[in-house]
Structures are given as structure tokens and as C-alpha cells.
Amino acid sequence: MSSVPRSNRRRPDPPPRTPLGAGVDRTVSGSDGDWVVRELRGTSSTKTYRCPGCTQEIPPGIPHLVVWPSRGTFSPADGATERRHWHRACFDARGRRGSW
């Protein structure tokens, strides 16, 4: 019985996994200023929020955006008071509807 030589090459490490629900922050610029935007998957959403764009509820389990002003640095407490949960389409249309 012949044997197959074993490969000594190391397999590459898998890419790091993002925790469930944790999105990557990105900055979005518009006529209403600069915003930090984080996408939330529906699986991480456990509360009901009200979208400032359409004033409709975003129920738990629905993917949506968390948005806050990008101006300077602020403490986590300040950021929590300025964060808003938006439907993606409502945030994209905010320039046509007016600001919140």
C-alpha cells in the first residue's frame, strides 16, 4: 500500500468573524452633514424603534440602520442620546424629505 505525502503548508487563518449584529461603522456625507452609519441585521434587533424618516415602527427582527452625527468626538453617553434607528430607504431619502 502506497502512502500519500503529507502537505506541510499551513492553511491560511479564516477571516475574523464579526459578532452577530455588530455592523461596521461608515461615514456618510450629505447636504445635512456627516453621519456615522451602522447596519444592524434583524437577528440582533430586540426592541421596537420609531424611524424618524417615516415615523413608522421598526419591529424587532427587521434589518435597519443606526445613525448619529459625525461631528467631532463625543462621549458614549452623548452618542446614545443622538443615535436614531432608520429604515434604510428612509435614511437614503432624508434629503428629499427634510431633516430630523
Side-chain angles (χ1 to χ4, degrees):
M1 178 174 203
S2 66
S3 64
V4 177
R6 193 172 110 174
S7 173
N8 289 329
R9 285 186 281 156
R10 185 172 181 253
R11 291 183 182 161
D13 291 331
R17 298 185 82 170
T18 308
L20 256 182
V24 176
D25 296 350
R26 60 186 169 90
T27 302
V28 174
S29 297
S31 60
D32 57 347
D34 296 334
W35 302 93
V36 178
V37 178
R38 179 180 296 159
E39 293 187 42
L40 289 185
R41 294 182 220 142
T43 55
S44 66
S45 177
T46 59
K47 291 173 51 180
T48 298
Y49 298 98
R50 187 158 306 271
C51 174
C54 66
T55 67
Q56 299 297 311
E57 289 186 348
I58 304 172
I62 300 297
H64 63 279
L65 304 176
V66 180
V67 180
W68 63 92
S70 176
R71 61 178 182 268
T73 56
F74 47 80
S75 71
D78 290 340
T81 62
E82 296 186 56
R83 284 191 315 229
R84 299 293 180 264
H85 294 253
W86 289 75
H87 294 110
R88 176 188 303 278
C90 294
F91 183 73
D92 290 343
R94 73 193 183 284
R96 296 186 297 273
R97 292 184 176 178
S99 62
W100 50 284

